[in-house]
């Protein structure tokens, strides 16, 4: 999708700090990092979100998680640990409508959800 910023990053049309890319996925550093390591892993093909049927018609979710784990190891997080996060909808503050997985680590990340 030409008007999707993450599609443009995957195709190389928009600059980003890309840390990993293969035929299926692209991973790049989040522009507003919430942790010392904050990488976004996206499918190269446009998939709107986790409710999009295209997420299930291929092995793309598995490939995204596999890439995330490989990147975590390269970033030195294998022993200290890390968090993989996927937002959907307004209550989760989803802001970019292209499926993406957040890889966060490099410090103690605290509780999974901010207490109400
Ligand atoms: P979400 O809230 O799950 O939709 O997360 C979208 C993430 O994309 C946010 O953490 C943004 O900081 C990040 N982001 C938006 N535009 C860019 C960009 N051009 N390069 C890197 N990260 C971006």
């Amino acid at each position: 999708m030409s008007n999707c910023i993450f599609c443009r990053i995957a195709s190389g049309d928009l600059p980003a700090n890309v840390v990993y890319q293969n035929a299926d996925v692209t991973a790049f550093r989040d522009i507003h990092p919430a942790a010392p390591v904050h990488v976004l892993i996206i499918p190269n093909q446009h998939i709107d979100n986790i409710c999009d049927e295209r997420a299930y018609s291929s092995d793309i979710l598995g490939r995204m998680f596999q890439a995330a784990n490989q990147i975590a190891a390269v970033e030195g997080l294998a022993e200290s640990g890390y968090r993989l996060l996927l937002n959907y909808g307004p209550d989760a503050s989803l802001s970019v409508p292209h499926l993406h997985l957040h890889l966060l680590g490099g410090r103690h990340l605290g509780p999974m959800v901010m207490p109400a």
Side-chain angles (χ1 to χ4, degrees), residues 5-6 9 14-17 28-33 38 40 85-88 92-98 100 102:
I5 54 169
F6 284 3
I9 288 173
L14 194 68
N17 192 342
F28 50 95
R29 296 196 192 280
D30 196 292
I31 205 164
H32 298 302
H38 188 170
L40 301 173
L85 184 85
L86 200 154
N87 291 317
Y88 176 75
S93 306
L94 180 72
S95 60
V96 180
H98 180 127
H100 54 278
H102 295 255

